[in-house]
Amino acid sequence: MTPARAETILKSSHLLGIEALSVGEIVSLLDLADTYVALNRSANKKTDLLKGRTLINLFFEASTRTQSSFELAGKRLGADVLNMAVRTSSVSKGETLIDTATTLNAMRPDILVVRHQDSGAAELLSRKLDCCVVNAGDGSHEHPTQALLDALTIRRRGRKFEGLTVAICGDVLHSRVARSNIHLLLKMGARVRLIAPRTLLPGEAERFGVEVFHDMKKGLEGVDVVMMLRLQLERMSGAFVPSTREYFRFYGLDAEKLKLAKPGALVMHPGPMNRGVEIDSTVADDIEVSVIQEQVEMGVAIRMAVLDALSRGLALEGRNSP
Ligand code: NCD
């Protein structure tokens, strides 16, 4: 089965964040991704939509789900996919981000997927290179494909965004996943609650248009979706929480606290999970409530939709065509 082709979906030739997307663009990407979920569940998962195109994955930070799903997405669409192993590349010899990317650009890739520890890295590259750039996570700024796959997961569980209440809990301060989800959920008409200790919230978090709770039990009352975030210890320079054990007691999701949410509430986590720190295994592994594995499945479909959408722009512009 080959998903139906439609006109261009994205105005920009890059996907740098959710903030700049319109509701129409988000909905079109979700609709397109639905067709890829069906394709991925069939025996022949391959199309030749990106045949002849080159996709480079340039990941400066560790990744399991995001990198492998971009790789699979590219391959299932028929592109040649190169995974740059940053640790064994010249980056370890001191080459700058721009030099590395310009070198790769000279090999004429069509799409560069980049993850980098600095906020704004993907945007910077999009201005320097002539291929499409996809942000696979830049510092604590944005992680657009994660928010899109989360939205697809919620929508496919039959939830309507209008009037939905989503609690995003944990290390919001360091989380690009939280930022992209806040933008997306608010654009789509959902209500967002942030639940975190003061030390793990950005200053004036309310200015995002969200409700803020420091008491998890109060924050979880009646919510439709509970999105847990990993405690991002690698981004913390000092002690943001007294101890992970204490953190779990107040901010870890367990069956007891989950009872406060609406019956049938969905539990989500972008992964990787710190079991016993932000989430208890009894909740994470309970397929009655947890959609964590579905999020991973939706990740491949969303990335296929994004690559498809960007490739339509390539065809229109004749980019990299002889
Ligand atoms: C997230 C990330 O890297 O921003 N992971 C992911 O992409 N699934 C969240 C995290 O690292 O905690």
Side-chain angles (χ1 to χ4, degrees):
M1 187 207 119
T2 309
R5 308 283 297 138
E7 315 71 85
T8 317
I9 290 179
L10 293 172
K11 283 195 295 289
S12 168
S13 46
H14 310 287
L15 178 66
L16 303 176
I18 297 291
E19 194 174 9
L21 293 185
S22 67
V23 170
E25 287 175 303
I26 294 169
V27 172
S28 302
L29 283 172
L30 298 181
D31 291 347
L32 184 58
D34 269 330
T35 68
Y36 284 117
V37 175
L39 179 74
N40 289 338
R41 288 179 180 178
S42 70
N44 181 4
K45 300 168 180 55
K46 262 194 111 137
T47 72
D48 57 4
L49 197 71
L50 292 190
K51 189 160 177 254
R53 299 289 187 190
T54 302
L55 168 80
I56 299 184
N57 266 332
L58 180 61
F59 278 61
F60 290 85
E61 281 187 349
S63 172
T64 307
R65 281 148 280 263
T66 309
Q67 183 169 341
S68 55
S69 59
F70 267 112
E71 180 177 355
L72 270 184
K75 286 180 172 166
R76 287 183 182 172
L77 294 174
D80 292 316
V81 181
L82 173 73
N83 286 310
M84 273 297 299
V86 169
R87 240 169 297 145
T88 53
S89 75
S90 292
V91 172
S92 59
K93 298 182 186 166
E95 192 170 63
T96 65
L97 166 67
I98 298 283
D99 284 341
T100 306
T102 328
T103 303
L104 294 173
N105 192 48
M107 299 178 193
R108 298 179 71 87
D110 299 284
I111 303 177
L112 180 76
V113 177
V114 63
R115 168 171 287 189
H116 196 272
Q117 57 281 5
D118 294 340
S119 299
E123 213 256 303
L124 179 67
L125 291 184
S126 74
R127 286 192 267 117
K128 300 272 179 201
L129 312 183
D130 35 51
C131 60
C132 302
V133 174
V134 181
N135 181 7
D138 62 328
S140 53
H141 176 231
E142 279 234 38
H143 189 354
T145 56
Q146 180 68 44
L148 287 164
L149 76 88
D150 290 340
L152 184 64
T153 308
I154 294 171
R155 198 176 81 161
R156 289 182 64 96
R157 279 293 180 131
R159 308 301 199 270
K160 300 252 179 300
F161 294 107
E162 198 63 54
L164 195 80
T165 305
V166 180
I168 303 180
C169 316
D171 187 358
V172 179
L173 180 66
H174 300 102
S175 178
R176 51 199 177 206
V177 174
R179 265 172 204 73
S180 289
N181 264 303
I182 292 169
H183 287 307
L184 188 146
L185 292 164
L186 293 180
K187 276 178 202 278
M188 299 299 288
R191 277 196 292 269
V192 177
R193 294 184 188 175
L194 300 181
I195 305 176
R198 277 173 220 285
T199 49
L200 293 180
L201 274 173
E204 304 170 60
E206 284 95 346
R207 79 187 140 82
F208 290 120
V210 299
E211 275 182 281
V212 171
F213 292 82
H214 302 297
D215 179 343
M216 190 173 189
K217 292 188 175 153
K218 286 211 179 85
L220 286 179
E221 262 169 37
V223 300
D224 301 281
V225 178
V226 187
M227 232 177 232
M228 298 308 299
L229 299 172
R230 183 174 65 89
L231 205 52
Q232 304 206 5
L233 296 167
E234 78 279 15
R235 295 191 206 282
M236 298 182 190
S237 43
F240 283 75
V241 291
S243 73
T244 51
R245 194 203 284 222
E246 178 145 320
Y247 181 80
F248 179 72
R249 191 151 82 87
F250 290 103
Y251 294 100
L253 185 69
D254 57 14
E256 209 42 48
K257 293 195 193 88
L258 183 60
K259 280 189 197 143
L260 298 162
K262 198 178 267 178
L266 305 177
V267 172
M268 308 180 76
H269 193 304
M273 283 184 278
N274 287 317
R275 289 169 184 268
V277 178
E278 71 266 353
I279 192 163
D280 191 58
S281 287
T282 52
V283 177
D285 301 333
D286 179 355
I287 53 166
E288 295 297 319
V289 294
S290 164
V291 292
I292 296 171
Q293 293 311 318
E294 271 166 61
Q295 288 174 269
V296 178
E297 181 186 3
M298 296 311 131
V300 181
I302 275 294
R303 280 147 192 150
M304 289 171 88
V306 167
L307 299 178
D308 177 343
L310 291 173
S311 79
R312 295 172 195 209
L314 284 175
L316 287 180
E317 286 172 30
R319 191 196 298 260
N320 266 354
S321 64

